[in-house]
Amino acid sequence: MADIDNKDQAEIDPADMEDVEEVEEEETGEDENSKARQLTVQMMQNPQILAALQERLDGLNGSPSGYMESLPKIVKRRVNALKNLQVKCAHIEAKFYEEVHELERKYAALYQPLFDKRSDIVKAAYEPTDEECEWKADEEEELTVSKQDEMKEKAKLEEEKKDEEKEDPKGIPEFWLTVFKNVDLLSDMLQEHDEPILKHLQDIKVKFSDPGEPMSFTLEFHFEPNDFFTNTVLTKTYKMRSEPDESDPFSFDGPEIMCCTGCAIEWTKGKNVTLKTIKKKQKHKGRGTVRTVTKTVPNDSFFNFFTPPEVPENGELDEDSEAVLAADFEIGHFIRERIVPRAVLYFTGEAIEDDDDDYDEEGEEADDEEGEEEADEENDPEYDPKKDAAPPS
């Protein structure tokens, strides 16, 4: 459930709660149960009530009732037995996630031929057949006649432009760059000087660790030959752990990324976008003379992704490094789970539009239902508008 920024909006109107109590007292039998269910549904569709409930639920964390301390020793002893059972549950859960990882590895091998063909189409190594290119849009996606005419006219102009240029684009130009620019999490990392390089990105692959090896996955970024670096593949490996921490077994909540390692980028001279040269003027304290000093300093770039902060053996990091690693883990997981499997939908924007539509539809449904409820209340002969009036302050 989403957090609510404005806590004032999360307040429950006391009048609403009074109405609920009055209805519960007046209704009896099946009517009472039916009304109660209806009221529950209405309350759960009210964003203010949901926000208030979430705020109360959030407040439950870390606030024990103190009941445990009041228990007799014999009862506390039994609770300890339950906690030992919980630890065993955590170890079984760890085994479950290990088997999930094995399944991911198995199905990754089944997906890979499809992803390889996708890559071949993108980089123009394979031209799909007419049958493979045929796509029947859903009814909801069908365009109006006017829109179709507009599209045809646009296509005609594009064809004429192509004839003038006498150039046939190969594959799908800037496929991965467009994917990155369409996703906020990734576009935030992009700088203008990164884009010419990412135009040469031809594929992203996910490789899982071999059976019997510690759990991990590697992201492989495949580039065509370019003027920026000599590498054909840049890699980022994430090492994971799927076992409860002995010192805190109850914190286990599935596999967690422990650390990640990048790779050395063999930059062409003068093309390293992760560094920039700045000039500073320095004044001599005694003589008063001024000299210009040239320094090389780090520069914002997507390619800093391949040089993450190193985690020391003691596991302690400063706040900045922790923040960078936390963001890095989120990005790596997102690329693995969402971008690679559904790249074409992020290229077209459909994956993003689907997410946006979900939120819009929920809001519209809520508005429609609220309107229907108001109409039903007004048509109800027992409806009393005074009950909905806020009490005088």
Side-chain angles (χ1 to χ4, degrees):
M1 194 175 297
D3 294 333
I4 302 298
D5 293 331
N6 190 340
K7 292 187 177 179
D8 292 339
Q9 293 180 352
E11 297 289 341
I12 302 177
D13 190 339
D16 291 341
M17 298 306 297
E18 288 173 4
D19 291 343
V20 172
E21 290 171 2
E22 288 175 14
V23 170
E24 289 178 349
E25 289 173 2
E26 291 172 5
E27 302 294 339
T28 58
E30 293 181 3
D31 290 341
E32 180 181 10
N33 292 334
S34 176
K35 279 289 186 181
R37 284 193 298 270
Q38 184 179 356
L39 284 166
T40 301
V41 171
Q42 293 175 11
M43 289 172 65
M44 295 309 289
Q45 290 169 347
N46 187 321
Q48 293 182 351
I49 294 177
L50 287 175
L53 288 174
Q54 180 63 45
E55 189 174 354
R56 290 193 180 188
L57 288 173
D58 292 341
L60 294 177
N61 295 331
S63 56
S65 64
Y67 177 69
M68 182 63 189
E69 287 74 11
S70 67
L71 295 175
K73 282 187 178 181
I74 186 66
V75 178
K76 288 182 180 178
R77 180 172 173 274
R78 293 168 190 148
V79 172
N80 289 337
L82 297 184
K83 291 169 74 174
N84 284 323
L85 291 175
Q86 188 63 42
V87 172
K88 291 180 180 179
C89 286
H91 284 282
I92 292 174
E93 187 179 5
K95 293 294 182 185
F96 164 78
Y97 284 113
E98 287 177 8
E99 292 194 21
V100 168
H101 189 69
E102 293 297 324
L103 275 175
E104 285 183 314
R105 183 188 293 111
K106 172 186 173 181
Y107 279 89
L110 299 178
Y111 286 129
Q112 197 55 51
L114 302 177
F115 294 157
D116 289 342
K117 195 166 189 176
R118 177 181 71 188
S119 176
D120 287 343
I121 293 172
V122 167
K123 63 186 181 185
Y126 172 78
E127 184 62 33
T129 65
D130 291 342
E131 184 179 355
E132 290 173 322
C133 293
E134 186 177 345
W135 177 260
K136 188 179 185 306
D138 296 334
E139 290 182 5
E140 295 179 358
E141 297 175 356
E142 290 181 357
L143 303 173
T144 61
V145 175
S146 60
K147 189 67 175 177
Q148 287 177 345
D149 292 340
E150 182 183 334
M151 294 283 285
K152 286 178 182 177
E153 184 65 25
K154 186 177 180 182
K156 183 179 177 182
L157 292 173
E158 288 179 354
E159 286 295 329
E160 291 175 356
K161 185 178 179 182
K162 283 181 186 177
D163 292 339
E164 291 174 4
E165 296 175 353
K166 293 183 180 180
E167 182 180 339
D168 181 19
K170 303 297 182 183
I172 303 179
E174 302 181 17
F175 179 83
W176 289 101
L177 172 60
T178 304
V179 170
F180 277 42
K181 292 171 76 171
N182 282 348
V183 179
D184 290 342
L185 186 65
L186 302 178
S187 64
D188 289 344
M189 303 167 63
L190 294 185
Q191 305 298 321
E192 189 174 346
H193 48 251
D194 293 324
E195 295 189 14
I197 309 175
L198 288 171
K199 288 180 181 180
H200 298 284
L201 179 59
Q202 293 184 316
D203 198 12
I204 303 176
K205 296 182 179 180
V206 180
K207 300 289 186 182
F208 292 94
S209 53
D210 293 329
E213 291 186 356
M215 190 183 294
S216 68
F217 68 91
T218 299
L219 300 177
E220 296 182 351
F221 295 74
H222 292 253
F223 287 83
E224 65 182 350
N226 59 80
D227 297 332
F228 298 93
F229 45 71
T230 58
N231 311 64
T232 56
V233 181
L234 301 181
T235 61
K236 184 73 170 287
T237 299
Y238 292 86
K239 295 181 180 178
M240 299 182 292
R241 182 180 69 180
S242 182
E243 58 183 21
D245 187 341
E246 291 184 6
S247 62
D248 186 17
F250 302 134
S251 65
F252 180 73
D253 191 27
E256 58 180 334
I257 297 174
M258 300 304 297
C259 64
C260 57
T261 54
C263 66
I265 302 178
E266 304 297 333
W267 292 101
T268 304
K269 187 176 180 180
K271 299 288 188 177
N272 188 346
V273 295
T274 65
L275 298 174
K276 64 181 178 180
T277 302
I278 60 172
K279 292 182 179 181
K280 279 191 173 183
K281 291 184 178 181
Q282 295 180 341
K283 187 175 182 180
H284 194 280
K285 291 181 180 179
R287 296 193 295 269
T289 55
V290 177
R291 67 173 182 174
T292 301
V293 178
T294 301
K295 298 179 76 174
T296 300
V297 296
N299 191 26
D300 290 338
S301 168
F302 164 76
F303 291 91
N304 290 324
F305 178 70
F306 298 98
T307 54
E310 293 185 8
V311 180
E313 292 183 3
N314 60 11
E316 294 182 3
L317 292 166
D318 58 57
E319 290 185 6
D320 290 342
S321 296
E322 280 186 359
V324 170
L325 275 181
D328 191 300
F329 293 169
E330 181 183 0
I331 292 164
H333 184 75
F334 189 81
I335 292 174
R336 165 195 161 181
E337 292 287 329
R338 303 293 295 276
I339 298 299
V340 172
R342 309 177 70 207
V344 66
L345 301 181
Y346 284 100
F347 174 79
T348 62
E350 291 171 85
I352 303 151
E353 289 172 5
D354 286 346
D355 292 341
D356 292 341
D357 288 345
D358 287 342
Y359 285 112
D360 290 340
E361 285 171 6
E362 287 176 6
E364 289 168 6
E365 286 173 7
D367 292 342
D368 292 343
E369 286 168 1
E370 285 174 9
E372 289 172 4
E373 287 161 11
E374 289 175 2
D376 290 343
E377 286 176 345
E378 291 173 0
N379 294 328
D380 186 349
E382 297 182 2
Y383 171 67
D384 183 359
K386 293 181 181 179
K387 287 184 178 180
D388 288 336
S393 56

